[in-house]
Amino acid sequence: MDVQTSPNVGKLSVPRQRKKWWNKLWKYRALYLMLIPGLLYYAIYVYGPMYGVIIAFKDYNFIKGITASPFADPWYKHFKAFYDSPYFFQILRNTLLISLYKLVWGMPPGIILAIMLNEVRNKAFKRVVQTISYLPHFLSTVIIYGLLIALLSQTDGLINQWIKAFGGPTIPFLTSTDWFRSMLVASGLWQNVGWSAIIYLAAISGIDPSLYEAARSDGAGRFRMIWHITLPGIRNVILLLLVLRLGHILDAGFEQIYIFYNVHVYPVADIIDTWVFRVGLEQMDFSLATAVGLFKTLIGIVLVVGANKLARRWEGSIW
């Protein structure tokens, strides 16, 4: 009988496939057991709370709960309230500008530092520089703000004391709309540049050393090897991180801005998250806060999908 026309072939293959699958599962049982805590974390704290998104379409009452609260009329009521806010375009502009500043000024320094550290031949000096550069990453935002006050305070900050000693006027670095965004981006860059360089260093270490040897034998200098070997070698990592950061472009760093900002800089510092915290959460308008969060999520998904399609041209897509 022809094997392809036999009716028993499919029936026999299914148990064999199941047995093979169970054997593979049992073989790697230790690895699957280690996955369980991570899967439980995401199931409980990430996917479970997604049910609460329905609050964005309801007039949520804390006492009645999610299910008993009535649906909003119309269903886009809270989205419209956010759009009709007189501060909508201001906070949206501030959010996009701060995020773009952090993106443009935040990624290149990490790449440059990683390349510079990779070119250092003195291992002891390299370890010292790398340690000093990534230590600020472990400082809390409150501590960094305290350091900035000590350095940049208009009344008794160290830098303003130097300016006064040379006869110049003091500068309100932390309370001026002209300086606040610069201080915000600069402090974030100082805090995270060393940590981001670690990722690029790991990518550089995966480049085949024979490429450098071949380029060196052809007479290429360090700058040519960096341009033609190092940067193309970490291109996929750069694109991957860029795509991931674009998904959070409407975040802009709530913790940092909430600690740093004050009433003097609201016109340039107030972002979506800080506005939602004041208007939505402090006034217990959870429906409005959820609607804005859903709006941010949808924009982030669109940006990630679009950026991923563009990144495919350079073989740097996530999927």
Side-chain angles (χ1 to χ4, degrees), residues 204-267:
I204 292 173
S205 65
I207 299 175
D208 189 357
S210 63
L211 296 176
Y212 292 101
E213 295 175 2
R216 196 176 294 110
S217 63
D218 289 338
R222 286 193 174 185
F223 289 104
R224 279 193 173 276
M225 287 189 288
I226 290 171
W227 184 257
H228 294 287
I229 299 176
T230 306
L231 287 176
I234 63 174
R235 180 185 59 191
N236 290 347
V237 176
I238 296 173
L239 291 173
L240 174 63
L241 294 178
L242 178 61
V243 171
L244 293 176
R245 288 193 180 190
L246 284 175
H248 297 278
I249 201 167
L250 290 184
D251 290 340
F254 166 76
E255 181 183 0
Q256 183 192 25
I257 296 176
Y258 183 73
I259 293 173
F260 279 39
Y261 81 159
N262 50 73
V263 293
H264 302 287
V265 295
Y266 273 0

Side-chain angles (χ1 to χ4, degrees), residues 239-240 243 306-318:
L239 291 173
L240 174 63
V243 171
N308 186 71
K309 287 185 177 180
L310 289 175
R312 284 179 182 174
R313 298 182 179 181
W314 296 279
E315 299 179 357
S317 61
I318 300 178

Side-chain angles (χ1 to χ4, degrees), residues 103-285:
L103 185 65
V104 172
W105 295 102
M107 289 192 69
I111 299 170
I112 295 171
L113 179 60
I115 293 174
M116 292 173 65
L117 289 173
N118 184 63
E119 295 297 322
V120 173
R121 295 295 174 259
N122 190 322
K123 293 184 179 180
F125 178 75
K126 180 178 179 179
R127 284 196 295 267
V128 171
V129 172
Q130 190 172 355
T131 302
I132 293 174
S133 64
Y134 74 64
L135 275 178
H137 178 78
F138 299 99
L139 297 178
S140 69
T141 309
V142 177
I143 294 175
I144 293 176
Y145 183 62
L147 292 173
L148 288 180
I149 290 178
L151 291 172
L152 305 175
S153 174
Q154 188 176 5
T155 56
D156 53 1
L158 181 61
I159 293 178
N160 274 312
Q161 291 294 329
W162 289 346
I163 294 174
K164 284 196 296 183
F166 285 99
T170 58
I171 301 174
F173 291 105
L174 299 176
T175 57
S176 170
T177 55
D178 296 328
W179 284 94
F180 182 79
R181 287 175 181 164
S182 300
M183 295 299 101
L184 196 72
V185 175
S187 62
L189 174 61
W190 172 72
Q191 183 181 13
N192 297 309
V193 64
W195 187 257
S196 62
I198 294 176
I199 300 174
Y200 299 115
L201 272 173
I204 292 173
S205 65
I207 299 175
D208 189 357
S210 63
L211 296 176
Y212 292 101
E213 295 175 2
R216 196 176 294 110
S217 63
D218 289 338
R222 286 193 174 185
F223 289 104
R224 279 193 173 276
M225 287 189 288
I226 290 171
W227 184 257
H228 294 287
I229 299 176
T230 306
L231 287 176
I234 63 174
R235 180 185 59 191
N236 290 347
V237 176
I238 296 173
L239 291 173
L240 174 63
L241 294 178
L242 178 61
V243 171
L244 293 176
R245 288 193 180 190
L246 284 175
H248 297 278
I249 201 167
L250 290 184
D251 290 340
F254 166 76
E255 181 183 0
Q256 183 192 25
I257 296 176
Y258 183 73
I259 293 173
F260 279 39
Y261 81 159
N262 50 73
V263 293
H264 302 287
V265 295
Y266 273 0
V268 298
D270 201 18
I271 61 173
I272 294 176
D273 286 344
T274 53
W275 182 84
V276 168
F277 184 82
R278 292 197 317 275
V279 178
L281 298 181
E282 288 184 352
Q283 299 177 12
M284 299 187 71
D285 192 347

Side-chain angles (χ1 to χ4, degrees), residues 276-310:
V276 168
F277 184 82
R278 292 197 317 275
V279 178
L281 298 181
E282 288 184 352
Q283 299 177 12
M284 299 187 71
D285 192 347
F286 298 111
S287 295
L288 176 62
T290 307
V292 177
L294 183 59
F295 165 77
K296 287 175 50 182
T297 301
L298 294 176
I299 297 298
I301 292 173
V302 171
L303 289 173
V304 168
V305 173
N308 186 71
K309 287 185 177 180
L310 289 175

